[in-house]
Amino acid sequence: MKQNHALKLSFQLAWPISLQQVLMTMLGMIDVMMVGHLGNSAVAAVGLGNRVQFVILVIFAGLGTALSILSSQYWGAKNVNGIRSAIVLASTTGAALLLPLIIALFLFAESIIAWGTNDAEVIALGADYIRLTIPALIFSYLLMVFEASLRSVGQVKTPLVISAIAVIANILMNWVFIFGAGPVPAMGVAGAAIATSVARAFHLAMLVGYLIWRRHLVLPRVESFAIVHSLSAWRRYLTISLPMMLNFGIWSSGTFVYAILYGRVSTEALAVASMLAPVEGILISLFFGMASASAIMVGHQLGANNHQQAWNLAKNFALFCPIVAVLVGGLLALNIDLVLMPYNNLDTSTIDQARQIIILIAAFSWLKITNMTLSMGVLRTGGQNKYCLLSDTFGMWCIGIPMTVIAVYLDWGFFYIYLMVYTEEVTKAVLFVRKLIQKTWMQTLAA
């Protein structure tokens, strides 16, 4: 594969994935923006509720990422039945693990939100938001499974088109349920949650309907379900997916700990973090497609035992993404007023703090993008899940969180507290680059 052809193919894969990820990230941002007129408490409640959902979905993304890795290598090995069987395993595992979490969310919503704030209004609003978005969790996981399988076979535009339609529907439903329209009363934060769940159901119905209509090759057949009786298949899938779930769970729960620490500073600080988490998420989502394209293309080469080509691709992705990310961060820094325009109804002090935090995001997000590319797009594709797990755990729980706790305890101010979060990224970047250079990650996993 020539370098110019590889670059062209990576962009063909990346831009629909990135745009879709941006659209999905914007949904959380839109929820926060559209309740902004209700004040800091509403913004903080939706932000915490979204963070809880984020933690759970990221944990289950370990199952989806394992599916994507196996499917990419199966596709490289021309094994379509392997892809269908992997989808069955991912769906079955997700259903078994998601049920107890849903029950716990429903029963203990107030307690979960109370971890992040002492504000009674935020707790009440946040608990309502969590309970009403439980259906969205179920639909989102199933979407994750089918979209991962489509991307693995190089079909990235269809999920993008369907997601765009779903986002538009979500915005319209947000407007109706948050502000009220006709016979529908204004429901505020609860309305945002209802709109999210209804939109996810609509999204899933469109995607599954498309797969059935096209009789798509990734859609499991009756015979595909025989895989549940294969111990070797379960062993292969769980060996990849469970460490990823643990890895993603350690990381996502750490992000919730950061949110808890922000809430201990003040409701205003929590509101600022809630406002800007989607902004940083959109910035990172722009490069999610490149990381996914890296995982797909490197996975194809590993599946075909072309290790030298896999190394060339990995090296190019590892160099390209951070350089472009620095440029994108500069554009963000130059457009702070535009980013904060939807939040003009909030207090001046809240806006001033948000302005300072955007500077940090613009300056350091390239580190997160580097780590995402190396971890998701290269190392895990070669089966280095344990290494990524240990690196993520050490960077977050031994460096980032302790440094942030110290900053909160010493009352350094929210700017410096937020700055300490990036010590985690510096640590992980050193560990991931070291592993990349060693080349020991290049392994063929699919049988």
Side-chain angles (χ1 to χ4, degrees):
M1 184 183 296
K2 296 180 180 180
Q3 292 299 317
N4 59 343
H5 177 68
L7 184 62
K8 180 180 178 181
L9 179 58
S10 66
F11 278 112
Q12 288 176 345
L13 290 170
W15 76 261
I17 297 174
S18 288
L19 183 54
Q20 181 185 3
Q21 194 70 15
V22 168
L23 289 173
M24 300 312 295
T25 304
M26 284 180 62
L27 286 178
M29 186 177 186
I30 289 167
D31 279 356
V32 173
M33 288 169 52
M34 295 182 76
V35 301
H37 71 289
L38 300 175
N40 284 345
S41 293
V43 172
V46 172
L48 269 179
N50 276 333
R51 183 59 57 181
V52 172
Q53 266 208 346
F54 174 79
V55 169
I56 294 173
L57 286 176
V58 166
I59 292 173
F60 281 83
L63 298 177
T65 304
L67 168 63
S68 182
I69 289 172
L70 283 174
S71 296
S72 293
Q73 293 205 14
Y74 280 132
W75 186 246
K78 310 302 181 183
N79 184 355
V80 175
N81 289 330
I83 297 174
R84 296 169 183 163
S85 297
I87 292 172
V88 172
L89 294 178
S91 301
T92 304
T93 306
L97 297 178
L98 193 56
L99 180 59
L101 279 176
I102 289 173
I103 294 172
L105 277 181
F106 186 82
L107 294 177
F108 305 111
E110 284 84 4
S111 299
I112 293 170
I113 294 296
W115 292 344
T117 181
N118 295 321
D119 190 316
E121 184 180 4
V122 174
I123 292 172
L125 291 172
D128 285 345
Y129 188 87
I130 285 179
R131 289 194 176 100
L132 290 170
T133 52
I134 284 176
L137 281 175
I138 303 170
F139 303 141
S140 295
Y141 176 68
L142 294 174
L143 284 166
M144 193 184 302
V145 167
F146 286 113
E147 288 176 350
S149 62
L150 285 171
R151 290 169 182 165
S152 297
V153 299
Q155 296 184 14
V156 293
K157 293 182 180 178
T158 298
L160 169 62
V161 172
I162 294 175
S163 292
I165 296 172
V167 167
I168 294 172
N170 200 160
I171 293 172
L172 294 175
M173 284 185 279
N174 261 355
W175 187 270
V176 172
F177 290 116
I178 293 174
F179 301 106
V184 180
M187 290 181 278
V189 170
I194 293 171
T196 296
S197 289
V198 175
R200 290 296 188 280
F202 177 58
H203 191 169
L204 179 62
M206 283 194 295
L207 183 59
V208 173
Y210 167 80
L211 294 176
I212 294 173
W213 172 58
R214 294 300 301 267
R215 297 182 180 179
H216 201 281
L217 62 89
V218 304
L219 192 66
R221 277 42 172 182
V222 173
E223 59 270 19
S224 303
F225 289 86
I227 197 69
V228 299
H229 301 296
S230 171
L231 292 179
S232 61
W234 277 112
R235 188 180 303 112
R236 184 185 308 117
Y237 177 70
L238 295 178
T239 298
I240 299 173
S241 63
L242 292 183
M244 282 191 173
M245 288 189 71
L246 179 60
N247 189 169
F248 289 10
I250 290 172
W251 176 78
S252 61
S253 60
T255 65
F256 189 60
V257 170
Y258 286 131
I260 290 173
L261 292 172
Y262 302 151
R264 297 303 173 185
V265 175
S266 66
T267 297
E268 181 180 78
L270 181 58
V272 170
S274 299
M275 289 162 52
L276 299 185
V279 174
E280 186 175 39
I282 289 174
L283 183 60
I284 294 172
S285 294
L286 290 172
F287 294 87
F288 182 83
M290 292 303 292
S292 298
S294 174
I296 293 168
M297 295 173 66
V298 173
H300 288 173
Q301 296 305 320
L302 290 177
N305 280 312
N306 297 326
H307 285 191
Q308 183 58 47
Q309 186 61 41
W311 163 250
N312 291 335
L313 287 169
K315 181 176 58 177
N316 291 337
F317 278 109
L319 292 172
F320 175 79
C321 291
I323 293 172
V324 178
V326 171
L327 300 177
V328 175
L331 290 175
L332 175 63
L334 293 173
N335 291 277
I336 293 177
D337 291 337
L338 181 63
V339 172
L340 294 177
M341 187 181 300
Y343 302 105
N344 286 335
N345 290 331
L346 296 178
D347 297 338
T348 302
S349 60
T350 303
I351 297 299
D352 290 340
Q353 278 201 357
R355 191 180 299 275
Q356 295 176 9
I357 302 305
I358 288 179
I359 294 296
L360 289 180
I361 292 173
F364 293 107
S365 285
W366 69 271
L367 271 173
K368 289 192 174 186
I369 289 163
T370 299
N371 291 334
M372 176 181 68
T373 303
L374 293 179
S375 178
M376 186 184 84
V378 178
L379 300 182
R380 288 195 179 103
T381 305
Q384 296 297 315
N385 300 317
K386 183 177 179 180
Y387 185 86
C388 292
L389 168 62
L390 294 175
S391 299
D392 279 337
T393 302
F394 178 75
M396 173 173 278
W397 290 93
C398 298
I399 304 296
I401 288 177
M403 292 297 293
T404 307
V405 169
I406 291 171
V408 172
Y409 178 76
L410 296 177
D411 195 20
W412 283 0
F414 190 47
F415 177 86
Y416 294 102
I417 290 169
Y418 204 93
L419 178 63
M420 290 301 101
V421 174
Y422 290 101
T423 59
E424 167 196 338
E425 302 300 332
V426 173
T427 304
K428 292 194 297 188
V430 172
L431 295 173
F432 289 150
V433 170
R434 173 179 173 271
K435 192 65 173 179
L436 173 73
I437 294 173
Q438 289 177 342
K439 298 185 181 181
T440 55
W441 53 271
M442 292 188 288
Q443 300 178 35
T444 299
L445 305 175

PDB file of all heavy atoms in Angstrom, residues 208 345-346:
ATOM      1  N   VAL A 208     -31.173  -0.304  12.710  1.00  0.00           N
ATOM      2  CA  VAL A 208     -31.540  -1.715  12.569  1.00  0.00           C
ATOM      3  C   VAL A 208     -32.440  -1.906  11.348  1.00  0.00           C
ATOM      4  O   VAL A 208     -32.314  -2.888  10.609  1.00  0.00           O
ATOM      5  CB  VAL A 208     -32.224  -2.226  13.851  1.00  0.00           C
ATOM      6  CG1 VAL A 208     -32.761  -3.643  13.651  1.00  0.00           C
ATOM      7  CG2 VAL A 208     -31.247  -2.200  15.015  1.00  0.00           C
ATOM      8  N   ASN A 345     -26.477  34.005  29.467  1.00  0.00           N
ATOM      9  CA  ASN A 345     -27.440  34.195  30.558  1.00  0.00           C
ATOM     10  C   ASN A 345     -26.854  33.840  31.923  1.00  0.00           C
ATOM     11  O   ASN A 345     -27.447  34.177  32.955  1.00  0.00           O
ATOM     12  CB  ASN A 345     -28.692  33.334  30.315  1.00  0.00           C
ATOM     13  CG  ASN A 345     -29.512  33.843  29.150  1.00  0.00           C
ATOM     14  OD1 ASN A 345     -29.517  35.035  28.851  1.00  0.00           O
ATOM     15  ND2 ASN A 345     -30.201  32.937  28.469  1.00  0.00           N
ATOM     16  N   LEU A 346     -25.707  33.156  31.953  1.00  0.00           N
ATOM     17  CA  LEU A 346     -25.105  32.770  33.225  1.00  0.00           C
ATOM     18  C   LEU A 346     -24.361  33.952  33.849  1.00  0.00           C
ATOM     19  O   LEU A 346     -24.105  34.972  33.206  1.00  0.00           O
ATOM     20  CB  LEU A 346     -24.150  31.594  33.019  1.00  0.00           C
ATOM     21  CG  LEU A 346     -24.797  30.297  32.528  1.00  0.00           C
ATOM     22  CD1 LEU A 346     -23.735  29.225  32.312  1.00  0.00           C
ATOM     23  CD2 LEU A 346     -25.849  29.788  33.509  1.00  0.00           C
TER      24      LEU A 346
END
